[in-house]
Amino acid sequence: DSDDEKHDEL
Amino acid sequence: MNAFRFLGDMTHLFSVLVLLLKIYATKTCSGVSRKTQELYLLVFVARYLDLFTDYISLYNSVMKIVFITSSAAIVWYMRRHPQVRRTYDKEQDTFRHSVLVAATFVLALIFNDRFTFREICWAFSIYLEAVAILPQLVLLQRCRNVDNLTGQYVFFLGAYRAFYILNWIYRYFTEGHHSRWIPWIAGLVQTGLYADFFYYYFLSWKNNVKLELPA
């Protein structure tokens, strides 16, 4: 979901 | 991962390593703000705590460990190393960084994607990162004559955030992200803070003279 995709960035 | 994101990560990594190697090789840290370094350490710890709870990729985990350990090493050198700590411009590095920590923490409590420990830590790290360079910019201005490596450090750090903004624009159009206003606003503020520095950096590069910031 949209929460996870931001956490894949550094 | 798109090219902007990768270039952003690489310039970010390069900036931290340039600074660590400069301190390690020359055993001096003059012109480097310890307060900014401590803020970055806090930024990395707050954001990368998910290292232990969420696995994303090997690349991701390795980069997180490198960022936390290299910034911890810089802080350690500036605080503990017998030679390095004596070269620290303590009297010049007077920015009240605790104010930045308190203000961005309150901001994260109010503006977050979800009121959970992970999301508050994440928002806090984004806000704090946006302003963490301030003590360094103030110190550079006070020291006037900027050491080449310190100048490169700030340059790569600014380039990193600029690449990340391009990455978000790219992701916005290719993947359609609509609820990413926290990093968008923080990223724009952060990049804006560098605009002035970039201007003088390019002037010095173009005219082939030593970088000097106006008082």
Side-chain angles (χ1 to χ4, degrees):
Chain A
D1 63 11
S2 68
D3 274 348
D4 290 320
E5 64 207 17
K6 79 183 182 207
H7 290 292
D8 73 13
E9 289 182 348
L10 291 165
Chain B
M1 191 188 332
N2 62 67
F4 300 122
R5 153 80 199 278
F6 183 69
L7 283 171
D9 285 348
M10 288 304 112
T11 45
H12 194 188
L13 182 67
F14 200 68
S15 71
V16 181
L17 294 183
V18 159
L19 189 64
L20 184 58
L21 286 176
K22 167 206 149 88
I23 293 174
Y24 176 78
T26 64
K27 296 289 182 290
T28 62
C29 65
S30 64
V32 179
S33 166
R34 194 180 79 196
K35 299 193 167 184
T36 282
Q37 295 308 315
E38 287 170 351
L39 291 180
Y40 278 128
L41 180 58
L42 190 56
V43 164
F44 291 145
V45 170
R47 194 178 312 159
Y48 301 157
L49 272 180
D50 64 357
L51 184 66
F52 301 103
T53 53
D54 302 83
Y55 179 80
I56 292 152
S57 65
L58 183 65
Y59 171 83
N60 220 281
S61 299
V62 169
M63 290 291 271
K64 286 175 177 176
I65 293 168
V66 169
F67 280 131
I68 292 174
T69 49
S70 55
S71 60
I74 292 170
V75 171
W76 180 85
Y77 265 109
M78 296 187 77
R79 278 191 171 273
R80 298 269 180 262
H81 191 279
Q83 281 162 273
V84 176
R85 60 189 280 196
R86 270 186 308 214
T87 63
Y88 169 51
D89 303 310
K90 197 176 169 51
E91 281 74 35
Q92 311 264 36
D93 193 19
T94 53
F95 200 96
R96 301 272 293 274
H97 64 334
S98 51
V99 175
L100 294 179
V101 175
T104 50
F105 185 69
V106 171
L107 210 59
L109 286 178
I110 302 167
F111 301 104
N112 51 65
D113 285 340
R114 208 177 293 165
F115 202 79
T116 60
F117 182 71
R118 186 192 190 203
E119 289 302 324
I120 290 168
C121 278
W122 184 82
F124 168 61
S125 79
I126 295 287
Y127 298 142
L128 187 59
E129 185 185 351
V131 292
I133 196 66
L134 282 174
Q136 180 66 66
L137 289 178
V138 169
L139 183 62
L140 282 186
Q141 213 144 31
R142 287 196 182 145
C143 294
R144 295 296 298 277
N145 245 325
V146 182
D147 174 288
N148 278 337
L149 283 169
T150 310
Q152 271 145 23
Y153 165 70
V154 180
F155 175 78
F156 283 115
L157 212 50
Y160 140 67
R161 220 50 190 175
F163 277 126
Y164 252 68
I165 287 182
L166 293 175
N167 158 52
W168 294 330
I169 293 171
Y170 181 85
R171 288 188 81 169
Y172 179 82
F173 285 111
T174 55
E175 300 165 32
H177 298 275
H178 297 288
S179 58
R180 310 247 305 164
W181 57 271
I182 290 180
W184 277 92
I185 294 170
L188 283 173
V189 168
Q190 187 173 347
T191 311
L193 290 179
Y194 290 93
D196 200 48
F197 173 84
F198 269 127
Y199 174 73
Y200 292 105
Y201 189 87
F202 278 115
L203 273 190
S204 83
W205 173 77
K206 202 178 113 212
N207 302 327
N208 203 17
V209 293
K210 211 165 162 26
L211 177 63
E212 198 177 300
L213 297 176

